Amino acid sequence: MIELKSRRPWVLLSSLLILVGVAAFLVFPLDHEQSPIGYASKHAAPYKAPRQNVWAELTEGEAADVNNFILKEFAHLDLKKHPKSARDNFIFVVETLKPNKTDAASYLYNDGPSPPERWAKAAIAQNLKDGPYMIYYMVGPLPISKDSVILPLEYVFNSGRNYVQNPMKDYTAIQDFALALAENVSDITQELLGATANRQNPSDPHGLLAVPRGSRVDAGGLTLWLQFYRPGMSSGARTLLPQGIYAKVDATSSDVNEWIVSQFYYNGVLYEDAEHFRAAVDGPDFERTPPNLDGPWTDTEDFESHPPGRELPPPVSVQPYGPRYRLDRKERFISWFGFEFYITTAQATGVSLFDIRFNGERVMYELGLQEAMAHYAGDDPMQGGLEFMDTFFGMGKNAFELVPGYDCPAYADYLDAEWHQAYQTHHTPNSICVFEYTADYLLSRHTSQYSVTASRNTFLTVRSVSTVGNYDYTIDYIFYMDGTLEVKVRASGFIFGAFYTANNTKSEDQYGHRIHEALSSSMHDHVINFKADLDVAGPKNDMVRMAIEPFTSTYEWDQPEQPKRNTMHLVEYPVTEEAGIDWPKNSGEFYIVYSSDEKNAWGERKGYRITPGTGMGSTPHLTILNSTTLGDSARWAEHDIWVLKQKDTEPRSADPLNFFAPHDPIIDFTKMADGESLEHTTSDTSYDGDLVLYFNVGAHHVPTSQDVPNTLMHTSASSVMFVPHNFADRDPSRGSVQGVRLQMSGKKSGGFAGEEHEPSGDLRSRQMGRKLEGQDRTKASYFGATYESAIKLPLEAFEPDMAGYSSKEHDVTDLSISYKVGAAGV
């Protein structure tokens, strides 16, 4: 227990209640149904959202009804409930089809009497004449009734189709092929690596895996490179343990039995086939590389070291009186100091927010992840063409249970998530947390002649963590008391390393650094795309680039002493057509979205500024030009910000199935950002001024030895902020922030500069604070509540009981065998 020293006694009447309840609200649950919500939100009067969450994910019952309806209506497809391979037809995914904005707007903003129709989206694996496909359908309206139908879902894709061919027709056969290949060269791998593949136990920690990676995707099939890795499939550190043997496979045939193993690559040398490789190994001039062996160097924990200070626990944040935000758990609606918004999830993209308002005015209709891409560079057959599109693996379904007291404060509210795949509903407990936090820096402060004022910086965070293969992405939506919003992403986990060869003629130092005996870092770009559908004080908006430019001017009051003055001024450049924009040099431009109609009390247009946030500097876009690997699947990564018209037919910048068809994606962003006019002031235009921004966060990651074993989050943080720009008449945080005004000793203490001192008068007449009881009024005065009495907190408030951690063992996405995650792997 710990005691916080009392400064005021007036809330003693509530102390008994607090002491009785405080243990309940900070103890982590024994199972997911005892979600670790705060005492106040658990026992206070229920809070209800003003309207229904029309974007909510399907319930388990809705998903079951949709599955059963498809099974009935598509009986001719002989859909399998337990598919054996991609050659079977089956329902892969069902989820909510988010309503069109135009349909939702009348319900949200125009007092529509009923919410828009609810529909589901289904991805069905269908085996056609030329192989397996993934095909999208829309099912509804819900609930399922005699009026419900199944239609091709086409209007949200600009490719002219609602399907993508699955290039991997039989993943089990591919695994068998890779094992057979490894067995055929087991003498070579034993000689060079000291290990062989174990067909009986592919997870053998002492064995090898031959992992395929497609280097070319064509309509006629694949060309694969297979690289050997150790140890087995259960190792989390396998991306640090590449082995330097690569095999090339001609996989253009649809029949895996017709695939041909051709070249081998080792230590910078390309061999025509296995026999030439074997002969070279036996030769006198063969140059070997050191082995890349596992060991304590890949351990993420050190239980043995005891530097001074580690014997004491670190400081933590506590919330003795419960949360100050209001939460409707059923509708996933939150209200906090002027902000209001809805939360929803999707298995591909994770958490999104809708209908964000501040002090009753509209700010954004939608804010959410679109895609998380990583693109590598290197001079070996694996790293040279490596890229990942993480929504394909599922940023939502791979958002696992958060660790209380570590991922989020012990006092956070935790929300569960559900997703529906292969006829099953998967429940992930406590995968989203909501909490208030007070920063280690102030929101504002000022020392004047007579007093100093300090305002605490308390903000609200909605957080989730998605573990996609080797990386853990912490995604935060942060709300500040002045109306600012921030989207922040931090990454940790194991890097995807490259094998470091012993060949001095190699060029691998162009792509990274040697970071272990036989391991090189591999440079890569993380570009993570978000959508921000801004409705600043309404849907009718304009975007401008407000530049800060030097210029020379003449002023009448400056004559004759200064004929010309070199200075600077603001120049506004309207963004009049859809375009991609990069952050300016020297931060020399402000990017602002203004309301076209609404102004504040001073006649200035209400706006929000878009700017790099509190991460490691300006957010990046993709370095590679016209990526031969990505094709047209991620053109949004080529600039920092994009401004587009809002269209119901363009709800997303990407689709998970773009990963299957990068050169002919189902959503081609270039067809969205096609230079259409954003002018809406003339009478002959059909555009109403409703614009959408797509913006990127991420990093140019060049790992160093400090990334072993894991990349650290404070070195990988990236964010974009949306900051009010004349949106209000004054700083809104003044009415909600907590702080203190300290009055300096002296005859005029507590007064304001420029005022005549009146000893008998109240020199703090402008201040809304109250003085400490029993103390002289010239000492301190507080605005907002303060802690008033001693509070005893249980141990769980500082170190939650992990015996109650409720997660079960699960499969973490294996990026190095990425095609398994598609229809072939179900």
Side-chain angles (χ1 to χ4, degrees):
M1 298 287 194
I2 189 169
E3 182 170 289
L4 304 182
K5 295 299 182 182
S6 172
R7 294 192 297 185
R8 279 192 202 88
W10 63 270
V11 294
L12 290 178
L13 291 177
S14 63
S15 296
L16 183 60
L17 254 178
I18 294 172
L19 292 175
V20 169
V22 71
F25 80 78
L26 287 168
V27 177
F28 194 72
L30 296 179
D31 59 65
H32 71 263
E33 293 187 357
Q34 295 176 327
S35 188
I37 62 173
Y39 174 80
S41 63
K42 191 173 183 179
H43 295 282
Y47 176 68
K48 186 168 178 58
R51 291 191 177 272
Q52 178 182 328
N53 186 339
V54 298
W55 311 274
E57 183 52 282
L58 299 180
T59 66
E60 184 172 2
E62 287 178 319
D65 289 344
V66 170
N67 279 322
N68 291 334
F69 184 67
I70 296 173
L71 289 170
K72 176 184 175 183
E73 296 296 309
F74 281 8
H76 61 284
L77 294 180
D78 190 25
L79 297 166
K80 304 294 185 184
K81 281 197 171 183
H82 303 287
K84 303 299 182 184
S85 75
R87 297 185 184 277
D88 291 331
N89 295 336
F90 59 94
I91 304 170
F92 183 47
V93 167
V94 295
E95 62 183 355
T96 299
L97 177 62
K98 300 295 190 290
N100 295 333
K101 182 180 181 180
T102 52
D103 296 329
S106 62
Y107 173 66
L108 295 169
Y109 310 123
N110 300 327
D111 296 324
S114 59
E117 284 188 335
R118 188 160 166 79
W119 285 70
K121 177 173 71 175
I124 298 181
Q126 291 181 229
N127 194 40
L128 306 180
K129 289 182 179 180
D130 55 345
Y133 283 76
M134 295 291 287
I135 305 178
Y136 283 119
Y137 295 92
M138 53 190 294
V139 184
L142 303 181
I144 296 296
S145 69
K146 62 181 179 59
D147 297 322
S148 297
V149 294
I150 304 175
L151 302 172
L153 178 57
E154 297 174 331
Y155 75 94
V156 295
F157 304 114
N158 60 19
S159 59
R161 65 186 197 281
N162 64 324
Y163 56 84
V164 173
Q165 187 172 18
N166 184 348
M168 287 295 189
K169 297 175 174 60
D170 192 336
Y171 189 79
T172 301
I174 295 170
Q175 287 181 307
D176 289 340
F177 180 90
L179 285 169
L181 182 155
E183 288 178 332
N184 289 337
V185 294
S186 59
D187 57 325
I188 298 177
T189 63
Q190 184 65 48
E191 177 69 21
L192 298 179
L193 306 178
T196 60
N198 185 342
R199 179 180 286 274
Q200 284 67 43
N201 181 19
S203 297
D204 179 2
H206 304 292
L208 296 175
L209 290 176
V211 173
R213 184 68 188 169
S215 62
R216 179 171 58 87
V217 181
D218 286 338
L222 295 169
T223 297
L224 299 176
W225 276 99
L226 282 78
Q227 181 174 8
F228 286 85
Y229 279 81
R230 70 198 314 165
M233 295 180 68
S234 61
S235 171
R238 182 149 42 86
T239 55
L240 291 182
L241 298 168
Q243 309 300 302
I245 299 177
Y246 311 80
K248 188 177 184 179
V249 179
D250 180 352
T252 54
S253 173
S254 60
D255 185 351
V256 70
N257 295 314
E258 297 179 0
W259 289 6
I260 300 171
V261 181
S262 55
Q263 297 170 321
F264 281 79
Y265 186 79
Y266 176 80
N267 200 16
V269 180
L270 194 63
Y271 299 95
E272 185 177 338
D273 53 31
E275 291 306 314
H276 285 81
F277 188 18
R278 186 173 284 110
V281 172
D282 294 335
D285 299 325
F286 184 77
E287 186 176 0
R288 299 165 183 262
T289 64
N292 186 18
L293 302 177
D294 201 0
W297 67 278
T298 67
D299 291 345
T300 56
E301 307 86 10
D302 182 349
F303 295 101
E304 308 302 326
S305 296
H306 300 286
R310 203 179 188 190
E311 74 280 4
L312 296 173
V316 296
S317 178
V318 295
Q319 180 182 268
Y321 293 144
R324 303 190 300 171
Y325 54 84
R326 294 179 292 176
L327 169 63
D328 180 339
R329 286 181 164 271
K330 180 178 181 295
E331 300 297 341
R332 301 289 178 97
F333 180 80
I334 291 177
S335 175
W336 176 82
F337 285 108
F339 273 113
E340 295 180 328
F341 56 90
Y342 293 86
I343 301 173
T344 190
T345 59
Q347 68 161 319
T349 55
V351 175
S352 293
L353 309 182
F354 281 88
D355 192 16
I356 302 172
R357 308 189 196 198
F358 184 64
N359 287 339
E361 291 197 85
R362 294 164 64 177
V363 175
M364 288 189 193
Y365 172 78
E366 178 183 358
L367 179 63
L369 176 72
Q370 303 295 293
E371 184 58 271
M373 182 268 292
H375 199 325
Y376 289 70
D379 63 353
D380 68 54
M382 181 65 74
Q383 300 293 326
L386 195 62
E387 53 83 20
F388 298 112
M389 309 280 267
D390 287 338
T391 65
F392 175 81
F393 309 103
M395 294 287 282
K397 74 178 185 180
N398 286 297
F400 302 114
E401 182 169 1
L402 299 166
V403 180
Y406 291 84
D407 280 317
C408 316
Y411 56 79
D413 272 302
Y414 293 81
L415 303 175
D416 302 346
E418 287 185 341
W419 50 279
H420 318 285
Q421 183 172 305
Y423 308 95
Q424 293 183 349
T425 292
H426 303 266
H427 183 90
T428 307
N430 307 323
S431 61
I432 305 167
C433 69
V434 182
F435 61 91
E436 264 193 298
Y437 200 82
T438 299
D440 62 348
Y441 61 95
L442 293 175
L443 185 64
S444 65
R445 79 177 311 282
H446 181 63
T447 300
S448 66
Q449 184 176 357
Y450 307 121
S451 62
V452 57
T453 299
S455 299
R456 285 188 172 127
N457 184 12
T458 303
F459 49 83
L460 181 78
T461 299
V462 177
R463 173 174 293 168
S464 63
V465 179
S466 297
T467 303
V468 187
N470 53 318
Y471 273 119
D472 292 60
Y473 296 98
T474 297
I475 300 175
D476 287 354
Y477 298 101
I478 306 171
F479 300 83
Y480 297 89
M481 287 186 171
D482 67 327
T484 293
L485 297 87
E486 182 175 14
V487 178
K488 192 164 191 173
V489 178
R490 302 175 179 89
S492 186
F494 293 101
I495 64 168
F496 208 117
F499 188 81
Y500 190 89
T501 69
N503 189 333
N504 291 330
T505 65
K506 292 272 288 177
S507 60
E508 56 195 359
D509 286 345
Q510 295 181 35
Y511 304 102
H513 307 291
R514 186 177 184 180
I515 56 176
H516 204 256
E517 185 68 20
L519 184 68
S520 174
S521 69
S522 186
M523 67 179 297
H524 53 283
D525 281 356
H526 290 281
V527 187
I528 304 170
N529 189 241
F530 286 83
K531 176 183 180 180
D533 184 346
L534 281 95
D535 286 352
V536 179
K540 200 172 187 179
N541 290 169
D542 301 290
M543 185 172 182
V544 303
R545 295 163 38 229
M546 188 175 73
I548 303 171
E549 295 182 356
F551 87 123
T552 300
S553 183
T554 299
Y555 302 98
E556 182 179 356
W557 48 263
D558 226 0
Q559 308 303 317
E561 295 82 8
Q562 190 71 54
K564 293 182 178 180
R565 183 172 293 276
N566 295 329
T567 183
M568 59 184 175
H569 65 165
L570 299 177
V571 181
E572 193 170 283
Y573 300 99
V575 179
T576 59
E577 63 181 32
E578 295 180 330
I581 306 172
D582 295 331
W583 298 120
K585 179 182 177 181
N586 192 34
S587 300
E589 292 184 355
F590 286 14
Y591 299 155
I592 305 169
V593 172
Y594 282 122
S595 170
S596 304
D597 301 322
E598 299 299 321
K599 297 181 179 181
N600 67 10
W602 321 118
E604 297 289 346
R605 293 166 294 173
K606 294 188 174 188
Y608 260 80
R609 177 188 173 192
I610 303 93
T611 180
T614 58
M616 293 281 289
S618 293
T619 62
H621 56 266
L622 184 63
T623 304
I624 299 170
L625 302 177
N626 296 317
S627 168
T628 49
T629 302
L630 289 174
D632 292 324
S633 63
R635 294 291 183 182
W636 45 263
E638 295 177 348
H639 289 286
D640 297 324
I641 302 174
W642 297 83
V643 54
L644 277 69
K645 288 182 178 180
Q646 191 283 326
K647 297 179 181 178
D648 288 344
T649 55
E650 296 177 349
R652 294 199 56 209
S653 63
D655 186 84
L657 293 186
N658 280 7
F659 191 72
F660 272 157
H663 298 285
D664 186 19
I666 192 170
I667 294 179
D668 185 344
F669 189 73
T670 63
K671 295 178 181 179
M672 296 170 58
D674 56 359
E676 289 186 67
S677 172
L678 297 177
E679 298 276 7
H680 60 93
T681 56
T682 59
S683 59
D684 59 347
T685 180
S686 60
Y687 172 55
D688 60 2
D690 194 356
L691 56 79
V692 173
L693 297 187
Y694 290 94
F695 63 94
N696 295 319
V697 299
H700 300 305
H701 194 183
V702 181
T704 69
S705 55
Q706 282 71 43
D707 286 87
V708 176
N710 278 180
T711 294
L712 304 179
M713 288 192 180
H714 72 283
T715 66
S716 64
S718 174
S719 81
V720 165
M721 300 181 82
F722 296 84
V723 182
H725 193 89
N726 292 321
F727 188 75
D729 299 337
R730 67 166 198 170
D731 170 23
S733 72
R734 289 175 59 185
S736 53
V737 72
Q738 256 60 22
V740 63
R741 179 175 179 177
L742 296 172
Q743 299 150 48
M744 299 176 185
S745 60
K747 293 182 178 180
K748 296 185 178 182
S749 175
F752 295 87
E755 288 187 350
E756 182 179 353
H757 176 50
E758 298 179 8
S760 60
D762 181 5
L763 298 180
R764 294 173 292 111
S765 58
R766 296 192 215 169
Q767 188 172 328
M768 297 299 294
R770 47 190 167 75
K771 59 189 177 183
L772 282 173
E773 199 169 298
Q775 292 191 14
D776 185 86
R777 65 178 176 84
T778 61
K779 298 298 184 182
S781 196
Y782 295 89
F783 41 96
T786 60
Y787 290 99
E788 305 292 347
S789 61
I791 301 170
K792 293 185 177 181
L793 299 178
L795 174 61
E796 289 81 4
F798 305 94
E799 194 70 50
D801 181 7
M802 293 303 168
Y805 191 67
S806 59
S807 275
K808 297 179 180 179
E809 183 177 321
H810 53 75
D811 291 328
V812 175
T813 301
D814 192 338
L815 297 181
S816 57
I817 47 177
S818 56
Y819 286 110
K820 175 184 177 183
V821 188
V826 176

